Amino acid sequence: MNESDSRPLSLPDGSVVHRDPEIHSVLAVLYDRLGLPDEVDKHFREAIRLAPKDPQIANNYGAFLCQHGRTDEGVKRFLESAVNPLYRTPEFAYSNAGVCLRAAKRYDEAVTARRNALKFLGSNPQREADLGEALTAAANGVVTAEAKEAFDRALKLDADDFRARYFA
């Protein structure tokens, strides 16, 4: 982006339009803290319009969408971020998708998201425990054999993992 692209544009009515996606992303976060969801949505949409391939903005917008019951849209944004080669922490996007789906009580899909995180990112205590929790939720709170195996793998990697210790 050249310097003239990032400078604000003054409109005839005196209002200013920013052409920098980071400004809109920061404004979205600010408005979220102020409890103004319409403004949050407006600024995230503008940030995405200005930087459609920015994985951090997409992931942050996905979190906002999920918090406001827009699960399908949020998961779509998380998965876009997860597969973007510029995103340094795709595990967060996969994890966020799983959290979003679980909050929406879409447990089977949450299990799939957790399995994808393990498949693409490898095993670690958190991902194993996340899978165990998702499997337990999908089984109406019953710790299935598969869930127990996931919790056992988490404990093998980190004997202090509190979720794995609770469920195992």
Side-chain angles (χ1 to χ4, degrees):
M1 176 182 313
N2 65 41
E3 185 181 324
S4 65
D5 288 339
S6 64
R7 286 188 282 180
L9 173 67
S10 295
L11 300 178
D13 68 358
S15 62
V16 176
V17 176
H18 293 281
R19 293 182 267 186
D20 183 337
E22 292 299 318
I23 289 174
H24 287 283
S25 185
V26 168
L27 286 170
V29 171
L30 174 67
Y31 283 122
D32 192 34
R33 296 217 176 163
L34 294 173
L36 299 168
D38 292 341
E39 289 296 315
V40 176
D41 194 58
K42 177 178 87 173
H43 285 285
F44 270 133
R45 282 186 282 112
E46 184 62 10
I48 296 243
R49 186 187 72 74
L50 293 167
K53 297 190 187 286
D54 185 311
Q56 187 64 51
I57 292 172
N59 188 68
N60 292 346
Y61 188 34
F64 166 78
L65 292 167
C66 285
Q67 290 168 356
H68 289 82
R70 295 164 61 185
T71 304
D72 290 334
E73 293 173 85
V75 169
K76 177 184 175 206
R77 295 295 180 184
F78 292 140
L79 297 180
E80 287 172 1
S81 295
V83 299
N84 186 321
L86 300 176
Y87 197 41
R88 294 183 196 183
T89 54
E91 65 271 18
F92 292 127
Y94 284 119
S95 178
N96 289 343
V99 169
C100 183
L101 290 162
R102 183 168 180 212
K105 297 183 178 10
R106 291 166 55 178
Y107 302 124
D108 291 336
E109 292 171 85
V111 168
T112 300
R114 299 303 193 184
R115 283 189 175 131
N116 282 337
L118 281 164
K119 176 182 172 185
F120 293 111
L121 303 167
S123 180
N124 76 12
Q126 179 179 345
R127 286 191 281 274
E128 293 290 355
D130 287 346
L131 175 61
E133 274 192 331
L135 289 162
T136 300
N140 296 318
V142 175
V143 180
T144 63
E146 186 180 5
K148 180 155 179 18
E149 290 171 8
F151 290 127
D152 288 345
R153 287 190 301 269
L155 284 173
K156 191 173 184 178
L157 295 166
D158 179 1
D160 294 326
D161 187 284
F162 70 94
R163 290 179 300 161
R165 290 177 61 154
Y166 177 81
F167 286 105

